[in-house]
Amino acid sequence: MIKKRISVSQKRQITIPIEFYNSLGIDKEVECYVQNNAIVIRPVRESSGEFDEQILADLIAQGLSGQELLDKFRETRRQIRPAVERLLDEARLAAQGQASSKTYEDVFGPEAD
């Protein structure tokens, strides 16, 4: 494991060592969070297409095609990450007892027999 000591500026800024930057493939953004009393910084990875087929199927079912389909696909794909981040925030708050939580049945109704 490579370990570096990094100074923190008066504005609370740090510089990521070039070895870390290159080995992790950091581009324009990193995400940062606290875990086990440590700050974790990792590169932001754009969606790798986990929902692409579902998005396209839904948009085609709505009758979209051509440039309109492409534009709506891009718009919808950009909304996935913020939506997942909101869900994770809500789950964290619920786990900490700071927000109410819902059951499967609350969201989807009772199971059909």
Side-chain angles (χ1 to χ4, degrees):
M1 171 178 21
I2 301 172
K3 206 174 189 181
K4 295 266 184 171
R5 190 174 202 151
I6 303 169
S7 60
V8 180
S9 76
Q10 290 179 342
K11 293 182 177 183
R12 300 175 314 283
Q13 295 171 326
I14 63 170
T15 299
I16 299 171
I18 192 71
E19 301 89 17
F20 297 172
Y21 184 88
N22 289 336
S23 70
L24 294 174
I26 295 172
D27 191 20
K28 295 180 181 177
E29 289 185 310
V30 295
E31 58 186 359
C32 177
Y33 57 93
V34 176
Q35 180 179 19
N36 297 327
N37 213 25
I39 297 172
V40 177
I41 300 171
R42 66 180 185 190
V44 171
R45 302 280 185 233
E46 293 304 318
S47 171
S48 57
E50 297 91 357
F51 301 105
D52 288 357
E53 284 187 43
Q54 293 90 340
I55 294 170
L56 284 170
D58 183 54
L59 296 174
I60 291 168
Q62 292 176 35
L64 300 178
S65 63
Q67 189 62 44
E68 185 181 25
L69 172 64
L70 184 57
D71 293 343
K72 189 67 173 172
F73 172 77
R74 288 178 177 153
E75 176 189 333
T76 303
R77 198 168 191 229
R78 278 193 300 271
Q79 295 171 357
I80 292 173
R81 184 177 185 86
V84 170
E85 287 174 353
R86 281 192 303 276
L87 287 172
L88 290 172
D89 288 341
E90 290 174 16
R92 265 187 229 103
L93 290 174
Q96 295 168 352
Q98 298 174 359
S100 62
S101 60
K102 304 275 189 248
T103 66
Y104 183 88
E105 287 77 20
D106 291 336
V107 175
F108 296 106
E111 283 188 53
D113 293 326

